[in-house]
Amino acid sequence: MGFDRHIMSMRNSEASVRMEGYEITPQMRKQCERVLRGELSTAECLKRFAADQSKGEK
C-alpha cells in the first residue's frame, strides 16, 4: 500500500475517533505518520500516547 493510501486510511480513522468524542492532536498525527513510514513501532507510539495522557496532555 502506498503512503497516499495510508494517509486516506489515517483520515478515515481520525474521523472515527472524532465521532467517539476524542481529539487528534498534531503530535498524534505526526507519530502515526512515523508508524506508517516504519520509523516507529505501533507499540512505541501507543506508549507515547499513554505517557502524554498521563501527563494531562490531549
Side-chain angles (χ1 to χ4, degrees), residues 14-51:
E14 287 182 19
S16 294
V17 169
R18 283 192 302 271
M19 287 172 38
E20 294 293 328
Y22 298 100
E23 180 182 343
I24 302 295
T25 66
Q27 180 182 0
M28 289 176 170
R29 188 174 293 112
K30 286 178 185 177
Q31 288 179 358
C32 289
E33 288 173 1
R34 290 185 65 202
V35 170
L36 293 173
R37 285 192 300 265
E39 299 171 359
L40 185 69
S41 72
T42 302
E44 183 61 31
C45 186
L46 292 173
K47 285 179 191 175
R48 291 179 185 193
F49 288 160

